Amino acid sequence: MRIIPALLFIGLFLIFGIPVLLIEKLISMVNPKVADFRQLRMVQWAFKVILFICGTKVTVIGEENVPTDEPVLYIGNHRSYFDIVISYSRCPRLTGYIAKDSMRRFLLISLWMKRLHCLFLKRDDMKQSLRTILVGIEQIKKGISICIYPEGTRGNGETELDMLPFKEGSFKIAEKTGCKIIPMAVTGSRDIFEAHLPWIKRKHVILEYGKPISISELTPQERKKLGDYCQKEILAMLKSHRDMI
């Protein structure tokens, strides 16, 4: 019955977060950096509480590979909403996630997402998608990291190894800014919730960060098929998790 306390906590956080957002908006007019980091830490705290309520144990590998002094492009496999909860709670600096445009319908959630520099992508609108990527490029230039799931949607294959092809457009932000790419591999997140809706179950999840990828250091062939290259890096990490769960 973990679903009930989890939903109750989320509801209370969103409701009591309304005046908090108003206060933080006022603070941002004077000192936007302070407001940004306060909001980041508040949401990270909330996500850690959710993981605790859900009985989710997270083993983190390779966190030393994540730079703390420069913005990066996070990319990863995606099988669960919990991928976001797990990975965002670990971000060392301001990070905006690229989410599907339908998330705008959830007013309170989307308000928090906007304050946390998240971007909304309409998959079937190429012009709007390009505008979103251009905003993501500007965010990187301002020092804000970006996270995108190159599969374009949550995968529902039999195992984590059954990933959808990575969309090459997902890497334009790194190609245009020269920022490092941080590959993330998550194992076990779908078994928390999506694998047995509507129940939440206690689960051990592995989150691994691969070594930073600098596009300038890749061969022309690797740069040409950057999505395939990064997907292979994530696949290798996922295979190494099989004996750890």
Side-chain angles (χ1 to χ4, degrees), residues 111-202:
L111 282 174
W112 274 102
M113 292 176 70
K114 290 174 184 176
R115 290 298 301 143
L116 295 168
H117 304 284
C118 293
L119 305 175
F120 300 93
L121 184 69
K122 189 176 290 187
R123 300 168 187 162
D124 57 353
D125 187 332
M126 291 298 294
K127 289 185 178 180
Q128 194 275 343
S129 296
L130 178 59
R131 287 196 294 269
T132 300
I133 295 300
L134 291 175
V135 174
I137 291 171
E138 292 304 312
Q139 302 247 94
I140 290 285
K141 292 179 179 179
K142 293 177 181 178
I144 301 168
S145 293
I146 295 291
C147 178
I148 189 169
Y149 292 105
E151 292 172 274
T153 187
R154 283 175 291 134
N156 57 4
E158 186 175 344
T159 71
E160 279 81 7
L161 304 184
D162 300 317
M163 286 184 283
L164 299 168
F166 278 15
K167 299 180 183 298
E168 294 292 338
S170 302
F171 300 88
K172 292 297 182 184
I173 292 174
E175 291 174 345
K176 297 298 183 181
T177 63
C179 72
K180 293 175 182 176
I181 299 172
I182 304 297
M184 301 186 299
V186 180
T187 295
S189 59
R190 190 171 185 272
D191 294 330
I192 301 173
F193 182 55
E194 283 84 354
H196 37 72
L197 295 170
W199 311 115
I200 288 177
K201 292 188 177 181
R202 185 185 299 274

Side-chain angles (χ1 to χ4, degrees), residues 10 14 24-25 32 56 63 71 73-74 88 106 113 149 191 236:
I10 293 170
L14 291 173
E24 292 299 328
K25 186 173 183 178
T56 305
E63 199 160 24
L73 175 67
Y74 295 98
Y88 194 81
F106 306 101
M113 292 176 70
Y149 292 105
D191 294 330

Side-chain angles (χ1 to χ4, degrees), residues 6-171:
L7 289 175
L8 181 61
F9 174 79
I10 293 170
L12 290 173
F13 180 85
L14 291 173
I15 292 171
F16 287 105
I18 295 173
V20 173
L21 280 174
L22 293 174
I23 293 171
E24 292 299 328
K25 186 173 183 178
L26 294 174
I27 294 174
S28 68
M29 294 177 182
V30 180
N31 195 328
K33 188 174 182 179
V34 168
D36 280 346
F37 273 95
R38 282 162 57 99
Q39 290 162 150
L40 169 69
R41 300 310 178 201
M42 278 188 283
V43 173
Q44 287 182 321
W45 169 81
F47 281 173
K48 289 175 182 177
V49 172
I50 291 171
L51 292 173
F52 175 78
I53 293 172
C54 295
T56 305
K57 176 186 176 183
V58 182
T59 295
V60 182
I61 304 171
E63 199 160 24
E64 68 277 4
N65 290 323
V66 181
T68 59
D69 58 350
E70 60 182 292
V72 300
L73 175 67
Y74 295 98
I75 56 112
N77 62 312
H78 190 30
R79 287 169 58 81
S80 171
Y81 286 116
F82 275 88
D83 295 332
I84 299 161
V85 176
I86 293 164
S87 59
Y88 194 81
S89 66
R90 314 294 307 188
C91 293
R93 56 186 296 126
L94 297 177
T95 303
Y97 278 51
I98 295 183
K100 57 185 179 182
D101 191 68
S102 59
M103 290 299 297
R104 293 178 185 270
R105 295 179 299 177
F106 306 101
L107 181 59
L108 294 181
I109 294 176
S110 64
L111 282 174
W112 274 102
M113 292 176 70
K114 290 174 184 176
R115 290 298 301 143
L116 295 168
H117 304 284
C118 293
L119 305 175
F120 300 93
L121 184 69
K122 189 176 290 187
R123 300 168 187 162
D124 57 353
D125 187 332
M126 291 298 294
K127 289 185 178 180
Q128 194 275 343
S129 296
L130 178 59
R131 287 196 294 269
T132 300
I133 295 300
L134 291 175
V135 174
I137 291 171
E138 292 304 312
Q139 302 247 94
I140 290 285
K141 292 179 179 179
K142 293 177 181 178
I144 301 168
S145 293
I146 295 291
C147 178
I148 189 169
Y149 292 105
E151 292 172 274
T153 187
R154 283 175 291 134
N156 57 4
E158 186 175 344
T159 71
E160 279 81 7
L161 304 184
D162 300 317
M163 286 184 283
L164 299 168
F166 278 15
K167 299 180 183 298
E168 294 292 338
S170 302
F171 300 88

